[in-house]
Amino acid sequence: MNRTTVIVYGNVVYKRDLDDGTKIKNEMSIWGNGGWRSNAYHMDFDGNMCKKLHLMLGKVYEQFWMIAGVNITKTDCVIPAVS
C-alpha cells in the first residue's frame, strides 16, 4: 500500500437481490493518525448500480465479482442475496 493505492475491505450483508434498480448509500471511515476519521469515502448509487461500479472499477470489474464469488457480466447484473 502507498499514497496512490487504497485498500478497502470489510463485510457486506444484504437480504434481497441487488440489481440496477437498487439504491445504496455507503459512508466509510478510515483509520489513521491515531483514530478513526468518519466519512472518508462516500459511494452513493441511486440506480444503475452495475454501470456505475463498472465505471468506477474499470478493468477489474469482472475480476472483482469473480473473487467475490458472484457470476455477473456487463449485460446481466443481478447480485444474489446472501443466505
Side-chain angles (χ1 to χ4, degrees):
M1 189 168 82
N2 57 43
R3 292 189 183 272
T4 62
T5 304
V6 174
I7 298 173
V8 178
Y9 62 92
N11 296 321
V12 176
V13 178
Y14 44 94
K15 297 181 180 181
R16 66 181 189 111
D17 292 351
L18 304 179
D19 59 23
D20 270 341
T22 305
K23 294 181 180 182
I24 296 176
K25 181 174 185 167
N26 289 304
E27 295 178 0
M28 296 177 238
S29 299
I30 188 169
W31 177 263
N33 297 328
W36 286 101
R37 191 179 87 206
S38 61
N39 302 319
Y41 297 102
H42 291 269
M43 288 190 298
D44 297 334
F45 301 101
D46 294 329
N48 295 321
M49 179 184 70
C50 292
K51 181 179 179 180
K52 289 178 183 177
L53 274 175
H54 190 261
L55 288 170
M56 185 174 72
L57 295 175
K59 297 177 183 178
V60 299
Y61 177 79
E62 291 178 7
Q63 183 181 12
F64 173 82
W65 291 118
M66 184 181 71
I67 291 170
V70 176
N71 185 18
I72 197 169
T73 66
K74 293 177 187 175
T75 58
D76 181 33
C77 177
V78 176
I79 304 163
V82 177
S83 56

